[in-house]
Amino acid sequence: MGSQDSQAVDGQTGVTGRRALLGAAVLGAGGAVLGLSGTARAAEAAGATEARHGGGLRSLPVPTIIGHRGASGYRPEHTFGSYQLALDLGAHVVEAGDLVPTKDGHLVCRHEPEIGGTTDVADHKEFADRRTTKVLDGVSVTGWFTEDFTLAELKTLRAIERIPANRPHNTLYNGRWEIPTFEEVLKWQDEQTRKRGRQVWIYPETKHPTYFRKLGLGLEERVAKLLRKHGKDGRNAPVILQSFEPTSIQRLNRLVDNPLVVLLSSATSRPWDFVEAGDPRTVADLITPAGLREIAGYAQGIGPTLDLVIPKDANGDLTTPTTLVADAHKVGLILHPYTMRNENPFLPTSFREGTDADAYGDVFGAYKTYFATGIDGVFTDNPDTGLLAREDFVNQ
C-alpha cells in the first residue's frame, strides 16, 4: 500500500461470502503458528467458493482478508518472512508487493523507493555517497533510492522494521531477509500454491509511476512483461494490480487483463498524475457517482482509505458512514479499504485502550464497525486478527 497510507460483489456473491465459515490461525507468544486447522478450513472454504464462481476476483471470500505487505504487524514488511507468515496465518490475499525499479530496470518490493527506513543501507559505508535529496511527487525526500542501485547492490542489503516505536518486537527480525524482486514473488506464489494445495493470490502496487516514467523507468510495461512471462496476465489470474495513479491503472488495462484497483487517499488529495497533467480533480471528485462510473470503465475495484468509508470527527472518533460502499457497488466496483492495524495509534479514538504506542486496542470492535458497512474486504497488518474478526462477523 502506498505512501498515502498514515479497496462490488453482486448481492448473491456477497451473501454467499458472508455465510462462509472461516477459521483463523493464531500467532503464539513464542512466534509459532498455531491453530493450523483454522487455516485449513479457510483454504477449504476459499476453494469451495472459487469452484462455485469459476475463479477470478469474485471468487475470493467476502469480506476478503488481505495481508498488508505480508503480515507486517509481526515481521518487517515486504520480506518473504512477512509474506510467508501472512499465508500461514490464513490471509486470503498477500500484498506482495509495492513495486519500485532498480537502476538496471528490475522491479523490487519496497514500501517506497527511499529505503533508508526499511533497510540497513545506512550501515553500508560503501553506499554512503548514494545518500541524496530528491523531490518525490512534490515532496523533498532525503535518503537512498532504489533507482540509484543495481539489483546486485540492493541484494547486499537487509530489511529492517519501518515503525519500531509501534512494533519493537519486529526489530528482532532486522537483518534476516533481503529485498525480494517481483519475479521472485511470482515464483514464490507458484511454489506456495503447489505446497498448500490452494491458489495463492497476490496484490502488487505500482509505486509513483509518473515519477519513474519521467526517469525512463516505466513500471507498467515491466509489470506486464513479467506477468506474461509467468502466464499471469489474464482476467482470472490470481494477481490484482493496484495504484494511487488512475492513469497507471488505465495503462495496465491496455497491457494486461488482470483485475485492477484504483487506490484513493484523503478526499482533498489529488493523484500525482493529475497534478502533473494539470487535472484539477481531487479524490472527492473520483468518489462521486460520476467519478465511480468512470473508474468502472477501466478497473474492477477501488481501494479507499478507511476514512472515506467512515469519516472521523475532530477527536478521531468515527461518525456516520458515507454512501461510498453503496455508490461503488451500484457501478459494479468492489471495495478493499486500507489499513487495519492492532496498535492504538492506528485505531479510531473510541477503540483505543491505554496510552502505549505499541499496545493493542479494541480492534475487533473496529473491524465489526467497518465490516457492517458492506465493504468487500480490508487490508490488515495482522491477518490472524482480521480472520478472527471476519469469523465473528459472518457468524453473528
Side-chain angles (χ1 to χ4, degrees):
M1 189 57 60
S3 57
Q4 291 88 337
D5 178 18
S6 290
Q7 218 144 123
V9 298
D10 58 87
Q12 182 179 357
T13 305
V15 170
T16 303
R18 287 179 174 84
R19 288 176 179 170
L21 175 61
L22 292 182
V26 180
L27 185 71
V33 178
L34 305 177
L36 292 180
S37 60
T39 305
R41 290 196 302 274
E44 184 178 352
T49 303
E50 182 164 351
R52 284 195 300 273
H53 299 291
L57 182 61
R58 295 178 186 274
S59 72
L60 290 170
V62 178
T64 307
I65 301 302
I66 304 154
H68 185 233
R69 305 174 197 161
S72 53
Y74 309 117
R75 300 289 187 272
E77 63 193 28
H78 286 314
T79 61
F80 278 118
S82 184
Y83 298 160
Q84 192 79 17
L85 184 57
L87 289 182
D88 290 344
L89 294 176
H92 303 133
V93 183
V94 180
E95 190 194 27
D98 293 337
L99 304 180
V100 293
T102 66
K103 183 178 182 179
D104 48 348
H106 295 276
L107 294 178
V108 295
C109 304
R110 285 293 85 194
H111 171 50
E112 287 290 326
E114 198 290 302
I115 55 174
T118 61
T119 74
D120 61 0
V121 64
D123 298 331
H124 287 249
K125 294 180 180 179
E126 69 273 24
F127 298 138
D129 62 349
R130 307 281 178 95
R131 190 171 187 268
T132 187
T133 299
K134 301 189 180 192
V135 178
L136 182 63
D137 291 4
V139 177
S140 182
V141 179
T142 298
W144 291 263
F145 296 80
T146 59
E147 67 266 27
D148 295 332
F149 292 78
T150 65
L151 178 59
E153 289 172 332
L154 284 180
K155 283 294 188 180
T156 67
L157 307 180
R158 293 296 178 268
I160 62 173
E161 172 54 38
R162 184 176 62 86
I163 48 174
N166 304 111
R167 290 167 181 170
H169 49 282
N170 281 12
T171 63
L172 173 66
Y173 304 99
N174 284 355
R176 182 170 290 271
W177 293 289
E178 63 181 32
I179 298 174
T181 69
F182 185 42
E183 183 153 33
E184 288 170 344
V185 164
L186 292 172
K187 293 177 181 177
W188 168 84
Q189 179 188 23
D190 289 339
E191 223 172 63
Q192 293 301 311
T193 294
R194 288 193 299 270
K195 286 181 178 179
R196 295 171 187 270
R198 67 179 180 95
Q199 181 60 63
V200 168
W201 283 71
I202 61 172
Y203 212 136
E205 176 188 346
T206 56
K207 301 290 297 200
H208 306 287
T210 295
Y211 168 81
F212 284 119
R213 185 162 294 278
K214 291 173 73 174
L215 295 178
L217 291 168
L219 300 179
E220 296 84 3
E221 294 81 3
R222 287 174 166 82
V223 170
K225 182 178 179 180
L226 286 172
L227 291 176
R228 285 194 294 267
K229 177 181 177 180
H230 292 271
K232 298 180 182 181
D233 58 335
R235 181 176 302 177
N236 292 331
V239 181
I240 308 166
L241 301 172
Q242 56 179 333
S243 181
F244 278 100
E245 297 189 17
T247 56
S248 181
I249 295 300
Q250 291 168 350
R251 183 172 278 110
L252 285 166
N253 187 46
R254 294 191 292 268
L255 293 169
V256 294
D257 289 330
N258 294 70
L260 303 173
V261 168
V262 176
L263 298 170
L264 301 166
S265 190
S266 64
T268 58
S269 67
R270 289 170 68 198
W272 186 251
D273 52 339
F274 284 17
V275 175
E276 288 276 342
D279 187 330
R281 289 179 298 168
T282 65
V283 166
D285 296 307
L286 296 180
I287 60 175
T288 62
L292 292 169
R293 281 196 300 273
E294 180 182 329
I295 290 174
Y298 59 85
Q300 287 68 51
I302 56 173
T305 174
L306 285 163
D307 287 348
L308 294 178
V309 178
I310 310 180
K312 297 190 188 80
D313 63 20
N315 295 320
D317 289 315
L318 295 180
T319 61
T320 303
T322 67
T323 62
L324 180 59
V325 174
D327 292 343
H329 284 175
K330 282 179 184 175
V331 296
L333 293 169
I334 65 163
L335 298 91
H336 291 160
Y338 64 92
T339 303
M340 290 297 296
R341 298 180 169 103
N342 289 359
E343 296 90 357
N344 275 319
F346 307 113
L347 291 171
T349 302
S350 60
F351 294 101
R352 297 174 186 174
E353 297 181 350
T355 58
D356 289 346
D358 61 338
Y360 286 2
D362 177 22
V363 69
F364 289 112
Y367 272 109
K368 181 178 180 180
T369 303
Y370 286 118
F371 283 154
T373 66
I375 59 175
D376 302 287
V378 68
F379 284 84
T380 174
D381 288 6
N382 309 86
D384 54 336
T385 307
L387 281 164
L388 287 170
R390 181 192 187 280
E391 186 175 359
D392 291 343
F393 178 70
V394 300
N395 288 306
Q396 66 183 356

